[in-house]
Amino acid sequence: MGLGSTRRTVLITGAAGFLGSHLAERLLDEGYEVVGLDNLMTGDLANLRGVERDPHFHLEIGDVRDRLPVYAEIIFNFACPASPIHYQSDPHATLTTSMLGAMRLLEHARTRKVRIVHASTSEVYGDPLEHPQKETYWGHVNPVGERACYDEGKRVAETILMDARRLHGADTRLVRIFNTYGPRMALNDGRVVSNFIRQVIEDEPITVYGDGSQSRSFCYVSDLVDGIVKMGMLPQAEHPIVNLGNPRELTMHELAETVMKVADKRVEVVRRPLPSDDPRRRCPDITLARKMLGFEPRVPLEDGVAATYRDFQERLGQVPPKAANSKRRLVAAVG
Ligand code: UDP
């Protein structure tokens, strides 16, 4: 960053991840100096192709649990493996990234008045007994199950950040992110959108876990990033905890049908066992986000799936990439 630059500096931890890299693009487009931090545990440098040559983007390879390398006015904390197979592959790393990462960031929030926008998750609601989920719901989480390293890690990070707000006046904000999808999701993250799209592209059977009647609500990444940036840039966050996601709820069977319709081809649908503690239903109540942020998801599922499908086809070598930097434009076109 040049001397005398008047740009405001933001730090994104987990910048090489799916959400972190999209957020980096958006903040660069909005005129910020962006420092990205990533330990590449699940992040991928390929996700940063759209920003790596931008003179206002700076990458640090490092871990949010260690001392932070820079000063920034706002820290967007997106460092943590987020898909079940990734976060369960090293539960200790998952839990400590959330917990120690939050503690580390707080040093900055307390001593240097840095604003922290923390990526929390709908998983704090666990397998919810209230539906749809409002921010006031306390959740229904198994503290010792396979998902606990992620769920409890995110919950304790929330505790740490909200205590600091109460006790020290730290400017900490939580966005509870519901299922999000889009270009650059890791091809091997085992998530339902990436699995179904890859399976259809490769003419493999679609694997529906359980009876396929469980529900999720899928938000396209550009819509989600709108909400994150709005929350980050509010001068005062009167309500420091907000749900972000798309309230259109559908079953995994309906998602499978949507992917096949978009692809204009059919493959076999097979059943596989339901993973343990798999939430039965999940849908955000976004009343608060609408009111406080003017947040409104705009990308219809079919359009978002089509853009994601095209991105997967490119990365799986099924169609040639459109052009250099095409992903940045692809997202802009849909979003
Ligand atoms: N799922 C599925 N087939 C797959 C992968 C996932 O039916 O190949 C189901 C999974 O059991 C869950 C839903 O899809 O009910 C969403 O799973 P995902 O891992 O994407 O996210 P999360 O469970 O964290 O919401």
Side-chain angles (χ1 to χ4, degrees), residues 56-77:
H56 300 288
F57 179 73
H58 317 269
L59 180 66
E60 298 277 344
I61 303 300
D63 197 299
V64 69
R65 291 167 287 188
D66 300 330
R67 189 161 290 282
L68 291 184
V70 290
Y71 172 77
E73 274 183 51
I74 307 176
I75 300 174
F76 290 88
N77 183 29

Side-chain angles (χ1 to χ4, degrees), residues 195-334:
N195 274 5
F196 286 6
I197 289 182
R198 192 189 49 72
Q199 287 159 348
V200 173
I201 290 174
E202 298 192 324
D203 293 313
E204 288 175 11
I206 283 183
T207 53
V208 167
Y209 299 166
D211 66 4
S213 66
Q214 70 273 33
S215 76
R216 295 291 186 274
S217 313
F218 297 97
C219 187
Y220 190 66
V221 62
S222 59
D223 284 334
L224 185 90
V225 167
D226 278 344
I228 295 167
V229 172
K230 282 181 170 144
M231 183 64 168
M233 300 315 163
L234 267 191
Q236 301 286 336
E238 191 192 336
H239 299 280
I241 305 175
V242 70
N243 285 340
L244 292 178
N246 189 321
R248 176 177 166 194
E249 183 182 359
L250 69 162
T251 66
M252 296 312 102
H253 266 308
E254 287 166 334
L255 178 68
E257 287 302 320
T258 304
V259 173
M260 288 190 280
K261 188 169 155 229
V262 165
D264 196 21
K265 74 164 143 159
R266 295 204 69 81
V267 297
E268 193 190 347
V269 177
V270 295
R271 287 212 187 156
R272 294 283 176 265
L274 195 65
S276 67
D277 298 335
D278 199 90
R280 222 11 274 124
R281 297 184 75 182
R282 185 186 289 152
C283 180
D285 182 321
I286 58 167
T287 309
L288 177 62
R290 283 188 169 124
K291 206 168 119 212
M292 182 169 70
L293 308 174
F295 173 70
E296 194 59 59
R298 291 193 313 258
V299 179
L301 183 69
E302 292 70 15
D303 294 358
V305 167
T308 311
Y309 192 87
R310 168 82 200 181
D311 170 72
F312 272 52
Q313 281 182 310
E314 285 182 18
R315 287 189 290 147
L316 290 166
Q318 300 255 340
V319 296
K322 270 190 184 153
N325 212 13
S326 65
K327 299 206 171 57
R328 204 157 163 174
R329 273 188 272 118
L330 178 70
V331 175
V334 177

Side-chain angles (χ1 to χ4, degrees), residues 24-98:
E25 288 184 359
R26 178 69 61 90
L27 290 168
L28 286 165
D29 287 346
E30 296 203 0
Y32 290 89
E33 199 76 28
V34 177
V35 182
L37 177 78
D38 207 298
N39 68 358
L40 301 182
M41 182 181 167
T42 52
D44 185 345
L45 291 178
N47 289 336
L48 296 173
R49 275 193 201 122
V51 299
E52 64 191 358
R53 280 189 289 276
D54 191 317
H56 300 288
F57 179 73
H58 317 269
L59 180 66
E60 298 277 344
I61 303 300
D63 197 299
V64 69
R65 291 167 287 188
D66 300 330
R67 189 161 290 282
L68 291 184
V70 290
Y71 172 77
E73 274 183 51
I74 307 176
I75 300 174
F76 290 88
N77 183 29
F78 281 68
C80 191
S83 81
I85 58 164
H86 284 159
Y87 70 65
Q88 287 167 23
S89 72
D90 190 343
H92 180 76
T94 301
L95 183 82
T96 56
T97 296
S98 284

